């Protein structure tokens, strides 16, 4: 375990503020937006950052607000096509679609007025091709590593798993939210070098939802994903089809992510002032990409649309709303449909979380509607002026989601979320339960049993905690005295337990664990025995030790 390196953000021309809203704490770049500055409190970290004198970047970063808005149509990812059918490896004799997708260097225009940006991409595009499949329809994917021999983003060789003796470029693919056997789950240490490939089997024996695939390589995951290695994966079934939700061209994926770009249009990843230890604890970009474009527009008809939204950012939390304000209906979350539509004015998404949202433009003929995240404009909807007929339905009942009875849990684990700070409040790394990655496995639930995990967040940040292979429900969140916990070891609550938000009351695979809050999740360990991981989905945290193995034991 190499702690003792890494500073907080390099303060290149901008500083950071801490904003408290809805009981959450998020750090944001100070952009001069009054909405942000008015509530801003200069954090201990921002104070520390003013003490840092970073090296000037060779090419300054681009201010995306200097670009023309809404000049590029929203791109839609192409649908992946199988190249063959092969025998499923489960012994069933069934022949299943076989896909071959390469991780490779690519160039893409992120905006009309920018030169092509060098990226790493699945199948040559960011996002990669979208997989379309059905519940219970297995498929095989050969993931080829055809990346170049050298990385183009700053590797920190002091981070566990990214040592100098390892190949600089490595890759391994994880299907986020997939109920996947362990040999195909993309275990972070199962990486492979350029010229190699792995074929993974996805049984897809799970409810319909939006999953996503991305790199998960030990120690450089944040860099590989930032480079562009992510894509969407949709599972459907007949029950969902029968709801007659908006479909076809009226169902639109929106993959959100933020990047910093240099003025020459190339990716810029933030680094610490120490070139030997370039890791930074979070990477927030000022350029917000929707399906890989800056400020795209989408022509829509005045009717209902279904948007399948992923926060694919490394560390950015999005709080999505429409301007002018239009009420949305959230119909699904990470692991599928909610019991019924939840009317919302905004939708909060931490990295890794998904939202399934229906927006009805019927009352807004001829309008220009912006998709915003607080002060940031993400994209524009251009509503056509003429009325259309709309046969799609927004049913009041979507799917039965039975709350798991707490008494059914056979075990409760109390697990802390930890951050180590030095004397000037600079992060030295994060941990789960004060235990680095390489220590022996401590979480070993039995297959087909249910556990409660009490996630005790001792840090000042919100951490989106993701468990591989399983889905879970959020029981509640409760504020506690973190100082007393850290000094005396006693857990003293500061208020009542709060139920999850209505739009979190479905099946989840990633849960926001708020600062100084105990978030309880209840997890049926149903699926496959074997070694998996759980981790924070802020990728900079995950790469610097906020990830642990867990093992489902066969009964
Ligand atoms: Cu985290």
């Amino acid at each position: 375990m190499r702690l003792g390196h890494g500073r907080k953000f390099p303060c290149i021309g901008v500083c950071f503020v801490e904003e408290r809203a809805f009981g959450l704490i998020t750090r944001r770049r100070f952009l001069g937006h009054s909405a942000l500055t008015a509530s801003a409190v200069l954090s201990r970290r921002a104070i520390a950052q003013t003490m840092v004198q970073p090296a000037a970047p060779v090419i300054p970063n681009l201010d995306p607000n200097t670009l023309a808005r809404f000049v590029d149509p929203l791109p839609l990812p192409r649908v992946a096509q199988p190249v063959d059918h092969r025998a499923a490896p489960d012994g069933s004799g069934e022949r299943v679609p076989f896909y071959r997708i390469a991780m490779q260097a690519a160039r893409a225009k992120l905006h009309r007025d920018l030169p092509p940006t060098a990226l790493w991409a699945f199948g040559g595009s960011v996002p990669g091709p979208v997989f379309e499949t059905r519940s219970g329809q297995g498929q095989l994917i050969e993931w080829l590593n055809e990346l170049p021999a050298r990385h183009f983003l700053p590797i920190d060789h002091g981070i566990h798993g990214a040592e100098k003796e390892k190949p600089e470029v490595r890759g391994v693919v994880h299907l986020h939210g997939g109920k996947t056997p362990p040999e195909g789950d993309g275990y972070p240490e199962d990486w492979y070098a350029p010229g190699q490939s792995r074929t993974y089997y996805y049984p897809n024996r799970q409810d319909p939802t939006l999953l996503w695939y991305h790199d998960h390589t030990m120690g450089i995951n944040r860099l590989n994903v930032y480079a562009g290695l992510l894509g969407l994966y949709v599972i459907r079934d007949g029950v969902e089809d029968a709801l007659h939700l908006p479909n076809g061209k009226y169902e639109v994926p929106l993959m959100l992510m933020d990047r910093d770009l240099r003025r020459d249009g190339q990716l810029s990843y933030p680094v610490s002032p120490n070139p030997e230890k370039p890791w930074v604890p979070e990477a927030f970009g000022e350029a917000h990409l929707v399906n890989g474009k800056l400020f795209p527009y989408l022509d829509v008809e005045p009717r209902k649309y279904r948007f399948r939204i992923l926060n694919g950012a490394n560390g950015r939390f999005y709080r999505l709303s429409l301007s002018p304000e239009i009420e949305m209906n959230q119909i699904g979350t990470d692991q599928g449909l909610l019991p019924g539509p939840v009317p919302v004015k905004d939708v909060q998404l931490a990295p890794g979380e998904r939202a399934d949202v229906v927006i009805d433009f019927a009352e807004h003929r001829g309008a220009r509607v912006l998709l915003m995240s607080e002060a940031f404009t993400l994209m524009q909807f251009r509503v056509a002026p003429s009325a259309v007929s709309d046969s799609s339905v927004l049913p009041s009942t979507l799917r039965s989601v039975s709350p798991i009875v707490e008494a059914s849990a056979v075990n409760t684990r109390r697990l802390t979320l930890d951050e180590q700070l030095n004397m000037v409040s600079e992060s030295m790394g994060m941990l789960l339960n004060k235990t680095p990655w390489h220590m022996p496995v401590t979480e070993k639930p039995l297959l087909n049993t249910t556990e409660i995990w009490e996630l005790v967040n001792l840090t000042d940040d919100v951490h989106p905690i993701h468990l591989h292979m399983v889905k879970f429900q959020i029981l509640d969140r409760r504020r506690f005295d973190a100082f007393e916990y850290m000094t005396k070891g006693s857990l003293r609550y500061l208020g009542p337990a709060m139920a999850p938000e209505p739009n979190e009351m479905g099946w989840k695979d990633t849960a926001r664990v708020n600062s100084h809050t105990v978030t309880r999740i209840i997890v049926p360990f149903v699926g496959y025995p074997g070694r998996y991981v759980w981790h924070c989905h802020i990728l900079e945290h995950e790469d610097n030790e906020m990830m642990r193995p867990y093992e489902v034991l066969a009964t």
Side-chain angles (χ1 to χ4, degrees):
M1 177 65 180
R2 279 146 309 287
L3 294 179
H5 72 279
R7 287 179 180 271
K8 296 307 287 186
F9 307 90
C11 196
I12 303 174
V14 290
C15 286
F16 294 86
V17 295
E18 208 168 67
E19 185 196 13
R20 291 169 188 268
F22 293 87
L24 306 179
I25 302 175
T26 53
R27 289 191 297 271
R28 296 179 189 284
R29 288 197 173 190
F30 175 80
L31 293 174
H33 295 296
S34 58
L36 290 179
T37 57
S39 61
V41 178
L42 196 63
S43 72
R44 59 185 166 77
R45 296 179 183 198
I47 293 167
Q49 284 147 19
T50 62
M51 303 164 69
V52 174
Q53 283 296 322
V58 177
I59 301 175
N61 280 353
L62 171 82
D63 176 0
N65 293 309
T66 61
L67 295 170
R69 298 185 178 203
F70 320 129
V71 294
D72 292 293
L74 177 77
L76 297 175
R78 66 187 166 87
V79 177
Q81 299 298 327
V83 294
D84 197 1
H85 282 71
R86 294 191 178 177
D90 59 3
S92 64
E94 185 188 0
R95 292 185 72 76
V96 299
F98 174 80
Y99 299 78
R100 187 177 281 127
I101 303 288
M103 299 177 248
Q104 53 199 186
R107 300 180 77 79
K109 291 269 287 181
L110 307 186
H111 184 277
R112 182 194 67 184
D113 299 333
L114 287 177
T117 303
L119 300 165
W120 285 0
F122 285 104
S125 65
V126 179
V130 56
F131 288 89
E132 283 276 354
T133 187
R134 312 283 295 180
S135 292
Q137 167 65 67
Q139 57 190 27
L140 286 156
I141 305 176
E142 181 181 9
W143 301 104
L144 300 93
N145 183 345
E146 294 182 354
L147 294 168
R150 302 303 303 268
H151 216 298
F152 70 112
L153 296 176
I155 294 176
D156 188 329
H157 293 293
I159 283 183
H160 182 71
E163 295 80 4
K164 278 202 169 107
E165 59 270 22
K166 294 207 165 68
E168 195 170 298
V169 175
R170 302 169 284 131
V172 63
V173 184
H174 168 61
L175 177 61
H176 180 124
K179 193 183 188 180
T180 307
E183 58 273 17
D185 193 55
Y187 195 71
E189 292 175 339
D190 288 347
W191 51 263
Y192 45 100
Q196 299 182 356
S197 76
R198 297 288 183 274
T199 299
Y200 287 167
Y201 178 56
Y202 301 100
N204 298 320
R205 292 186 197 121
Q206 58 189 103
D207 285 336
T209 190
L210 173 68
L211 308 179
W212 62 298
Y213 59 95
H214 62 85
D215 180 80
H216 215 305
T217 304
M218 196 79 199
I220 54 170
N221 178 31
R222 70 197 183 287
L223 305 176
N224 287 357
V225 173
Y226 197 87
L229 291 174
L230 67 171
L232 303 173
Y233 188 110
V234 183
I235 301 178
R236 304 180 187 280
D237 77 353
V239 177
E240 186 182 293
D241 293 345
L243 294 174
H244 299 294
L245 294 161
N247 61 21
K249 67 177 182 177
Y250 305 113
E251 181 187 358
V252 180
L254 299 178
M255 195 190 82
L256 311 177
M257 60 188 196
D258 60 335
R259 297 289 183 270
D260 268 338
L261 300 173
R262 303 186 319 208
R263 285 185 192 160
D264 62 358
Q266 302 310 304
L267 288 183
S268 168
Y269 183 88
V271 292
S272 82
N274 183 346
E276 295 297 309
K277 299 169 180 173
W279 176 81
V280 292
E282 284 96 11
F284 297 143
E286 293 185 27
H288 298 278
L289 303 174
V290 187
N291 294 350
K293 282 286 183 201
L294 251 165
F295 302 124
Y297 69 87
L298 178 68
D299 288 315
V300 296
E301 298 170 19
R303 51 156 290 155
K304 290 189 286 301
Y305 278 75
R306 180 183 186 188
F307 294 100
R308 315 293 300 266
I309 311 172
L310 161 71
N311 182 349
N314 277 37
R316 169 85 59 187
F317 287 60
Y318 283 102
R319 189 190 300 276
L320 304 173
S321 62
L322 298 172
S323 175
E325 188 177 291
I326 299 174
E327 188 174 79
M328 304 176 272
N329 274 284
Q330 186 165 347
I331 61 168
T333 180
D334 305 337
Q335 284 286 324
L337 293 169
L338 288 159
V342 177
V344 286
K345 290 196 170 67
D346 58 46
V347 175
Q348 191 182 171
L349 283 180
E353 287 188 305
R354 285 88 74 207
D356 198 344
V357 172
V358 172
I359 300 174
D360 193 346
F361 296 105
E363 303 296 315
H364 304 277
R365 285 189 283 154
R368 298 286 183 269
V369 179
L370 300 180
L371 178 66
M372 311 283 295
S373 178
E374 304 194 60
F376 299 108
T377 300
L378 305 185
M379 65 173 290
Q380 181 193 54
F381 301 106
R382 297 178 178 172
V383 189
S386 304
V388 296
S389 65
D390 180 1
S391 60
S392 69
V393 176
L394 180 58
S396 57
T397 301
L398 296 164
R399 185 175 69 165
S400 165
V401 179
S402 302
I404 307 171
V405 179
E406 281 190 42
S408 67
V410 300
N411 192 15
T412 297
R413 299 177 193 270
R414 180 168 293 170
L415 301 158
T416 57
L417 280 50
D418 318 290
E419 178 170 19
Q420 301 197 13
L421 301 171
N422 67 11
M423 294 297 283
V424 287
S425 298
E426 295 160 350
S427 180
M428 300 162 70
M430 289 62 171
L431 290 173
L432 294 173
N433 219 29
K434 297 186 170 63
T435 313
W437 166 263
H438 70 272
M439 296 296 284
V441 180
T442 42
E443 282 63 62
K444 297 180 179 178
L446 291 174
L447 186 66
N448 297 323
T449 67
T450 295
E451 297 196 354
I452 292 171
W453 286 22
E454 296 181 349
L455 302 167
V456 180
N457 187 351
L458 298 170
T459 80
D460 292 340
D461 295 318
V462 186
H463 300 274
I465 296 296
H466 171 49
L467 277 65
H468 285 208
M469 202 273 283
V470 293
K471 59 180 182 177
F472 56 77
Q473 294 176 3
I474 300 173
L475 288 173
D476 49 39
R477 297 185 173 98
R478 197 167 184 187
R479 299 269 301 162
F480 72 102
D481 187 327
F483 183 76
E484 185 170 318
Y485 189 92
M486 286 187 275
T487 52
K488 298 180 184 169
S490 54
L491 183 58
R492 184 168 64 85
Y493 290 109
L494 299 175
M498 307 293 285
E501 299 295 323
N503 57 358
E504 294 180 308
M505 289 189 175
W507 289 99
K508 298 277 293 169
D509 58 44
T510 306
R512 296 187 295 277
V513 179
N514 297 341
S515 174
H516 299 175
T517 298
V518 177
T519 299
R520 296 194 311 146
I521 60 173
I522 187 162
V523 193
F525 286 90
V526 177
Y528 305 93
R531 183 74 64 91
Y532 293 94
V533 299
W534 67 290
H535 60 88
C536 176
H537 222 291
I538 294 174
L539 302 185
E540 285 67 27
H541 296 186
E542 171 192 332
D543 263 350
N544 202 0
E545 300 279 347
M546 207 168 194
M547 176 166 70
R548 283 284 294 158
Y550 84 89
E551 186 158 358
V552 180
L553 300 179
T555 45

